[in-house]
Amino acid sequence: MNHVDFVTQQWERERPDLDVTAMGIIGRVARLYLAYQREMHKTFAKFGLNAAKFDVLATLRRSGAPYALSPGDLLKATMVASGTMTNRLDRLEADGLVKREVNPQDSRSFLVGLTEQGFALIDRAVTAHVQTQAQLVEGLSSGDMAMLNSLLSKAQTAADN
C-alpha cells in the first residue's frame, strides 16, 4: 500500500460520507510530480543548470533559428514574473550562455539569444533530459503512456477552465 492509498483509506474509514476519489488522484499526481522533479533536477545539475536556467535555454532552443526571443516572448513562453526573468537572464548572461542584442526590427528593444556555448549546452542537456524522462516512465507500456497522456490532458483542460 502506498502513502496515498493509506491516507484515502483513513478518510474513507473516518468519513465514509465523503468521496475521496479526487483526493487520491490529486495526491498521486502531486507525489509523482515531486518524484519526477527530483530526477530531472539531478540531470540538470550534471550540466551546471537548475530548472529555471534549463527552462530559459530550452525555450530559446525550441523557438528555432535564430534562437532568440524578446523578453516579453520569453515571459509568455515560461510564465514567470518579469523580475524573475530578469534575474534568470542576468545569471545566464554572466555564465556566457545567452546574450542580449538590439532587436534589428525595433532598435528600442532587445532580443535574448543563445550563445554558441549556450546552444551546445542545451542540446546536450535536453538530450539527457529526454532520456531521464523516458527512464521515469519505462514501467508503462506505450498503450499505458498514451492513455495516461490523454487522461492527464483532459484533467488539465478541466482544471484550466
Side-chain angles (χ1 to χ4, degrees), residues 4 6 8 24 34-36 39 51 64 68 74 82 85 90 97 109 122 124-125 130 134-135 139 141 144 147 157:
V4 174
F6 178 73
T8 56
L34 293 174
Y36 287 172
E39 294 307 311
L74 270 172
S82 62
M85 181 57 71
D90 288 346
L97 301 174
S109 65
I122 193 57
R124 290 191 315 273
V130 169
Q135 290 169 355
S141 71
D144 290 341
M147 183 186 308
T157 298

Side-chain angles (χ1 to χ4, degrees), residues 73-90:
D73 288 338
L74 270 172
L75 284 171
K76 288 179 205 167
T78 59
M79 299 188 310
V80 299
S82 62
T84 301
M85 181 57 71
T86 299
N87 185 294
R88 288 181 185 182
L89 295 177
D90 288 346

Side-chain angles (χ1 to χ4, degrees), residues 34-132:
L34 293 174
Y36 287 172
Q37 288 293 76
R38 272 192 306 274
E39 294 307 311
M40 290 186 299
H41 286 196
K42 289 177 190 176
T43 300
F44 300 150
K46 291 177 186 175
F47 296 91
L49 299 172
N50 58 27
K53 287 181 176 183
F54 179 88
D55 187 30
V56 172
L57 295 175
T59 299
L60 291 169
R61 177 61 177 95
R62 72 175 186 261
S63 72
Y67 312 107
L69 294 170
S70 70
D73 288 338
L74 270 172
L75 284 171
K76 288 179 205 167
T78 59
M79 299 188 310
V80 299
S82 62
T84 301
M85 181 57 71
T86 299
N87 185 294
R88 288 181 185 182
L89 295 177
D90 288 346
R91 290 176 185 210
L92 287 165
E93 190 171 37
D95 293 342
L97 301 174
V98 301
K99 60 187 176 219
R100 292 176 171 120
E101 295 180 331
V102 174
N103 185 341
Q105 296 176 346
D106 179 2
S107 61
R108 296 169 296 162
S109 65
F110 66 94
L111 298 174
V112 177
L114 290 173
T115 63
E116 285 183 31
Q117 179 185 350
F119 185 94
L121 178 67
I122 193 57
D123 262 10
R124 290 191 315 273
V126 78
T127 297
H129 177 61
V130 169
Q131 290 170 347
T132 297

